Amino acid sequence: MVSFRFPFLFSQPPKPPFSVTSNASRRPFSGGCSIAITAAAVTAAGAGIAISQNPNNPFLQDALKFLVSNFSLKNNFIPMWGSLSLSDNSAPVTESRTGMSFPVVLKDSQRLLGIGLRRKAILGLKNIDVYAYGIYADDGDVKKFLGEKYGAFSTTELKGNKHLEEDLMESDVRMTVRLQIVYGKLSIRSVRSAFEESVGSRLKKFGTEDKELLHRFTSQFKDEYKIPRGSIIDLSREQGYVLRTSIDGVEVGSIESKLLCRSILDLYIGNEPFDRKAKEEVEFNLASVLGK
């Protein structure tokens, strides 16, 4: 069993669904609010300790998730108590707008850093939820490749550091972007076409129109593959800048290309990500991993 200890926070907005661009207004704390925050933080910390002692207790897990999701959102407050013990049997994290769940640990050593939603406009009139996604990075690789440069900084100093995510995308850290299909009528042909557009634009962004490389990637999504709602597509950067693609656990191809790996990751944590909220979660949790 793999066990991690670090402050690990995901926003869990209450239903009904909301727009990914909406932001709660910030209000100054009143005396009553400060007391409520202190009480909730103490309660949540106690629940966290209880979970670390008995991680398989579903009641405690549900209680802690309720405290984090409901209190922090209602009061626009993110609790900063001590780290919790996360292991491969920790409760999955749910993307609240779609209900899609993501494991906290993937491939034994990759941590979930953020979850988001890919939305797409149809004919410029209606937005549909295409897929939810989770962004993972190998804990040991993050510390190995980024620790020397960023390990001396505090977590606060690392938040919003524009160079940190750039270095993450450029480094040889093993990462996975897991896509879970939400739109039940999505065809593999549509996936192929969408990647031709999005990845193609990133290749141009980085100074090349390598149509052969783009075709090698998109041709992996063959017409015979079916992707009903709930299907999983993993895009994994392995060591040596190898992008390995799998659909529902079956590998469909691999390509060694640093440029392609960078272009894929840029869709999710670059300057113009599909979901900015997910990028912010990655920033926060990455800073928590590296900061002192």
Side-chain angles (χ1 to χ4, degrees), residues 92-165:
V93 178
T94 300
E95 202 293 311
S96 62
R97 293 160 288 184
T98 62
M100 295 295 178
S101 296
F102 294 85
V104 171
V105 180
L106 195 66
K107 299 182 179 180
D108 295 330
S109 60
Q110 293 189 18
R111 302 183 183 196
L112 180 61
L113 296 179
I115 53 178
L117 177 62
R118 170 62 165 138
R119 310 192 80 194
K120 182 72 175 178
I122 299 179
L123 301 178
L125 300 175
K126 179 182 178 182
N127 284 324
I128 63 169
D129 297 340
V130 183
Y131 59 79
Y133 61 87
I135 303 165
Y136 295 79
D138 185 271
D139 178 67
D141 286 352
V142 167
K143 294 176 180 177
K144 174 183 177 182
F145 291 103
L146 303 179
E148 182 176 352
K149 182 174 181 179
Y150 296 103
F153 293 92
S154 69
T155 300
T156 302
E157 290 173 323
L158 289 176
K159 293 175 188 174
N161 187 316
K162 296 180 180 179
H163 300 293
L164 179 56
E165 284 180 341

Side-chain angles (χ1 to χ4, degrees), residues 189-204:
R189 185 174 300 180
S190 298
V191 172
R192 188 167 60 239
S193 176
F195 276 131
E196 285 174 352
E197 177 185 350
S198 59
V199 178
S201 70
R202 290 329 195 253
L203 291 174
K204 290 180 182 179

Side-chain angles (χ1 to χ4, degrees), residues 124-259:
L125 300 175
K126 179 182 178 182
N127 284 324
I128 63 169
D129 297 340
V130 183
Y131 59 79
Y133 61 87
I135 303 165
Y136 295 79
D138 185 271
D139 178 67
D141 286 352
V142 167
K143 294 176 180 177
K144 174 183 177 182
F145 291 103
L146 303 179
E148 182 176 352
K149 182 174 181 179
Y150 296 103
F153 293 92
S154 69
T155 300
T156 302
E157 290 173 323
L158 289 176
K159 293 175 188 174
N161 187 316
K162 296 180 180 179
H163 300 293
L164 179 56
E165 284 180 341
E166 287 293 318
D167 287 342
L168 177 65
M169 290 189 285
E170 284 289 331
S171 70
D172 203 13
V173 173
R174 286 170 290 181
M175 296 185 65
T176 297
V177 180
R178 167 161 288 190
L179 320 179
Q180 290 201 56
I181 304 301
V182 175
Y183 187 59
K185 298 180 180 179
L186 188 67
S187 68
I188 198 71
R189 185 174 300 180
S190 298
V191 172
R192 188 167 60 239
S193 176
F195 276 131
E196 285 174 352
E197 177 185 350
S198 59
V199 178
S201 70
R202 290 329 195 253
L203 291 174
K204 290 180 182 179
K205 173 182 176 180
F206 298 128
T208 180
E209 292 189 51
D210 195 331
K211 295 182 178 180
E212 180 182 354
L213 177 62
L214 180 61
H215 177 72
R216 286 176 61 198
F217 172 65
T218 57
S219 64
Q220 296 176 134
F221 301 94
K222 302 182 185 301
D223 288 342
E224 58 263 31
Y225 297 137
K226 306 299 181 184
I227 49 170
R229 177 181 171 86
S231 297
I232 294 175
I233 299 175
D234 282 342
L235 305 173
S236 299
R237 179 177 69 181
E238 300 185 353
Q239 287 188 336
Y241 300 99
V242 174
L243 182 72
R244 195 172 303 279
T245 305
S246 65
I247 300 177
D248 288 331
V250 178
E251 182 180 332
V252 298
S254 61
I255 301 171
E256 182 180 347
S257 170
K258 182 177 181 179
L259 176 61

